[in-house]
Amino acid sequence: MEKTTIAIHKGTLKDSKTGGINTPVYTSSAYNYINKDDTCYPRYFNIPNQDAVGKKIAALEHAETGLVFSSGMGAMSTSILAYAGSGDHVVMLDALYGGTHHFATQWFSHFGIDCTFTGTSAEDVIKAVIPETRVIVIESPTNPLLAVVDIEKIAQFAKKNKITTIIDNTFASPVNQTPLDLGIDIVIHSGTKYLGGHSDLCCGMVACSHEKMEKILSLARVLGPSLDPRICSLLERSMKTLVLRVNAQTQNAMEVAEFLENHPAISKVYYPGLESFKGYEIAKQQMTGFGAMLSFEIKDKDPDKFIEKLRIVSPAVSLGGVESTICSPALTSHSKMSVQERQRIGVTDSLLRLSIGLEDADDLKQDIDNALKKSVL
Ligand SMILES: *Cc1c(COP(=O)(O)O)cnc(C)c1O
């Protein structure tokens, strides 16, 4: 089956009682235990609504099994802790999502876990591995500079050395990238972004083999980051249009990226789909589409005034919704970094990150062009 069909049909539990074609919402938090091996309970991650979306993400990611969490961070922290413990070492990209980075710097020592942060090249990651390394955590493309990481090279190295690999696949979504096919062990999503897609719910997902899921599920059942069945139902509805949405958003992003690249007020565009972009060649090999996230730098204009003058694109921190949003990484995700540190990694004050939505591409280009005209220093 193609992804478009999978997204609509996979996992649906048709209502045998009424013939309804959607998964009914199971609202109970108390279930009969007589003659049941695994009694249903929301925190056990075994309610039919949780199962329905879990099956959908598994099929989309070419995984044996999937699990829904109450947030992307719930999925990420549980998965890392399932495979790294006291005395273990973890290798992570410098450029990982801020929450994951924060989890490592603030909490790993509490669990006795040691961590090395690296650059985004496969060589950087491999160089950081030591005999105690148990887990490698990567993300591609990264936030906000869209660096493209050579997933297969890292996955193959890790396999040979029996290291568990985790990738945050939020930015690409399963529509544009399926990392398990490249040898990665565990895929994580912030479902708050493309999977939910309408900026109205918070959830996370994990997709992997049955074997890898065992520990993750066991830990998740005691940590407890489960998603309410009512929200699972909303997520299930959203995921049915995932492929259509992401494909259209990706196409829009390509148009906007090309428009920005040729705009005199823009000095640099970061988008894996531009041939001029550093990560283009690897992106072309490992992605089926280049995604709908892009960043750019404006020159001789006031970035704050620019954002204020936008009429369609809204300033907001999250991403992946049907509505286009923009944010300044220096003022949001990277605000706690020193100016020097930000400069070093390329997050300048004039860098802006765009999440391209489903609006008409010409309207988006016009909105950006108008706002640029009105944002003279
Ligand atoms: C938002 C985000 C997360 C965290 O997800 P939550 O649902 O907010 O917990 C993790 N990784 C990436 C890339 C994200 O954008």
Side-chain angles (χ1 to χ4, degrees):
M1 269 195 274
E2 293 300 317
K3 282 180 190 169
T4 327
T5 315
I6 290 172
I8 295 165
H9 292 289
K10 198 72 191 179
T12 307
L13 181 80
K14 290 187 179 150
D15 183 9
S16 55
K17 197 158 191 165
T18 62
I21 65 165
N22 289 309
T23 312
V25 183
Y26 287 74
T27 57
S28 296
S29 62
Y31 288 84
N32 190 335
Y33 65 92
I34 312 277
N35 295 330
K36 297 269 195 307
D37 307 334
D38 194 24
T39 307
C40 280
Y41 188 57
R43 184 177 38 82
Y44 287 171
F45 292 71
N46 61 0
I47 301 296
N49 298 98
Q50 297 168 333
D51 199 43
V53 283
K55 286 196 169 112
K56 216 187 270 300
I57 193 68
L60 288 167
E61 284 288 3
H62 304 158
E64 287 175 3
T65 185
L67 203 63
V68 67
F69 284 74
S70 55
S71 71
M73 279 311 297
M76 179 59 91
S77 54
T78 306
S79 301
I80 293 174
L81 290 181
Y83 286 96
S86 184
D88 294 340
H89 176 255
V90 176
V91 174
M92 285 188 162
L93 302 186
D94 257 334
L96 283 184
Y97 172 72
T100 311
H101 197 276
H102 190 73
F103 176 50
T105 55
Q106 301 299 303
W107 284 97
F108 272 14
S109 62
H110 181 80
F111 295 103
I113 303 168
D114 189 21
C115 183
T116 303
F117 289 99
T118 78
T120 52
S121 79
E123 290 69 33
D124 287 343
V125 172
I126 290 167
K127 242 187 343 209
V129 169
I130 58 173
E132 290 77 24
T133 306
R134 294 289 168 272
V135 178
I136 296 176
V137 189
I138 60 172
E139 192 171 317
S140 183
T142 65
N143 176 37
L145 297 172
L146 288 305
V148 179
V149 178
D150 191 331
I151 300 171
E152 189 162 28
K153 201 178 250 179
I154 294 168
Q156 297 313 331
F157 170 84
K159 258 198 193 350
K160 264 191 224 122
N161 293 279
K162 299 196 164 38
I163 299 166
T164 300
T165 44
I166 300 179
I167 189 168
D168 186 329
N169 202 30
T170 302
F171 267 37
S173 92
V175 179
N176 287 322
Q177 183 167 279
T178 45
L180 297 180
D181 296 337
L182 301 167
I184 290 288
D185 293 315
I186 300 165
V187 168
I188 307 285
H189 282 283
S190 168
T192 315
K193 318 297 164 56
Y194 291 102
L195 303 177
H198 298 73
S199 310
D200 60 0
L201 62 84
C202 180
C203 71
M205 299 197 102
V206 172
C208 59
S209 65
H210 288 300
E211 189 202 338
K212 286 286 177 208
M213 190 62 92
E214 240 172 75
K215 279 187 168 181
I216 297 172
L217 178 60
S218 162
L219 183 60
R221 282 181 163 201
V222 289
L223 291 180
S226 55
L227 188 66
D228 187 278
R230 297 159 182 89
I231 310 294
C232 289
S233 176
L234 263 184
L235 174 64
E236 187 178 351
R237 183 174 69 176
S238 293
M239 286 176 76
K240 292 184 185 188
T241 56
L242 174 73
V243 183
L244 287 183
R245 279 187 282 110
V246 172
N247 281 339
Q249 284 170 267
T250 299
Q251 205 174 326
N252 265 358
M254 190 72 216
E255 268 199 51
V256 172
E258 279 170 351
F259 162 78
L260 290 170
E261 194 176 35
N262 295 314
H263 199 289
I266 304 296
S267 54
K268 191 156 176 55
V269 183
Y270 299 84
Y271 183 63
L274 293 173
E275 280 184 40
S276 59
F277 188 65
K278 189 167 167 255
Y280 174 74
E281 286 303 326
I282 300 178
K284 210 169 63 171
Q285 285 170 28
Q286 67 188 22
M287 301 178 84
T288 48
F290 299 107
M293 295 301 300
L294 59 92
S295 292
F296 59 98
E297 255 169 55
I298 60 181
K299 64 178 177 210
D300 311 326
K301 302 275 180 193
D302 180 343
D304 299 332
K305 214 186 267 179
F306 166 69
I307 289 181
E308 200 187 293
K309 296 293 177 193
L310 288 164
R311 288 293 163 264
I312 297 172
V313 182
S314 326
V317 184
S318 198
L319 62 106
V322 293
E323 51 288 288
S324 294
T325 56
I326 192 163
C327 76
S328 155
L331 295 179
T332 57
S333 54
H334 293 66
S335 63
K336 288 190 185 75
M337 257 184 202
S338 69
V339 181
Q340 293 85 339
E341 183 64 6
R342 274 208 303 270
Q343 293 285 350
R344 187 185 67 78
I345 63 166
V347 178
T348 62
D349 289 343
S350 60
L351 181 81
L352 297 173
R353 189 195 75 184
L354 249 181
S355 168
I356 297 291
L358 274 180
E359 301 93 341
D360 182 85
D362 288 332
D363 286 340
L364 290 175
K365 288 189 273 185
Q366 198 163 50
D367 191 34
I368 292 168
D369 195 43
N370 284 341
L372 281 169
K373 285 196 184 100
K374 291 179 189 154
S375 53
V376 252
L377 275 175

